[in-house]
Amino acid sequence: MPEIIETTVYRLDELSDAAKEKARAWYRQTGFDHDWFEFVYDDFERICAIIGVDLKTVPVRLYGGGTRQKPCIWFSGFWSQGDGACFEGRYGHATGAPRTIRGHAPKDDELHRIADVLQAIQRRNFYQLHATVTHRDRYYHEYSMAISVERDSPTWQDMTADAEETVIEALRDLARWLYRQLERKYDYLTSDHLVDKAITANAYTFTAGGRRFG
């Protein structure tokens, strides 16, 4: 025979501190927008274009039946020692990169440094350096990128002794920079303040113990 069971539910601000933590944990795991990183990716694509990295893309199917080109960018985070970010693409000299990157990100000293380092090594090699970046292994961090550096000299002139290491380290620094942006964005979006606002705005209710109701 059917029974009617009554349950008292609470808004977030009516819960105990322990129950609030459980409610926040539910939101971070279930209610959080799992495409949150797309805005960071979009900015990274722009930065790569400025610095001279042409990101590799792959076609992905859209819900409506079409396709779009998705850049080959990956990350894992943010809790394990092997976490990080990486990308695939091809690097070549970009005219005016140091000036342009300062216009795009005037306060980001690390991006300025990376652009300056690449500009300087290109100058010493008559702007003929190119690098191919591919992902290897099943992990996603800067050392999972295989980077091959070459000099496209019409007279078959070798690259300077420091060119290969300098370009490789600069591109790995770019992957490290991306990971830090992703980590900061995630920490901000999952902060108690933002999570509480989202829960309140959606009028979610919980049991006294902080378990999502309904």
Side-chain angles (χ1 to χ4, degrees), residues 48-54 90-98 115-131 150 152 167 171:
C48 282
I50 292 171
I51 289 177
V53 176
D54 182 17
R90 182 167 173 79
Y91 162 73
H93 171 64
T95 303
D116 290 346
V117 166
L118 290 172
Q119 176 80 353
I121 197 63
Q122 286 282 12
R123 185 184 301 113
R124 291 198 293 275
N125 288 270
F126 295 92
Y127 308 101
Q128 296 168 343
L129 296 177
H130 296 274
E150 297 178 346
D152 186 18
V167 171
L171 294 177

Side-chain angles (χ1 to χ4, degrees), residues 125-173:
N125 288 270
F126 295 92
Y127 308 101
Q128 296 168 343
L129 296 177
H130 296 274
T132 301
V133 185
T134 57
H135 175 249
R136 63 186 179 189
D137 209 345
R138 60 189 179 89
Y139 298 103
Y140 301 128
H141 53 73
E142 66 272 20
Y143 291 108
S144 69
M145 300 189 307
I147 305 173
S148 174
V149 183
E150 297 178 346
R151 179 172 177 177
D152 186 18
S153 170
T155 59
W156 305 98
Q157 188 174 1
D158 287 338
M159 68 182 80
T160 57
D162 59 341
E164 182 176 32
E165 182 179 355
T166 300
V167 171
I168 288 174
E169 195 58 27
L171 294 177
R172 286 186 172 149
D173 283 342

Side-chain angles (χ1 to χ4, degrees), residues 10-27:
Y10 302 85
R11 304 289 186 184
L12 182 68
D13 59 357
E14 299 172 325
L15 297 174
S16 67
D17 289 343
K20 284 179 182 177
E21 286 302 318
K22 185 175 289 188
R24 290 170 183 141
W26 163 81
Y27 179 82

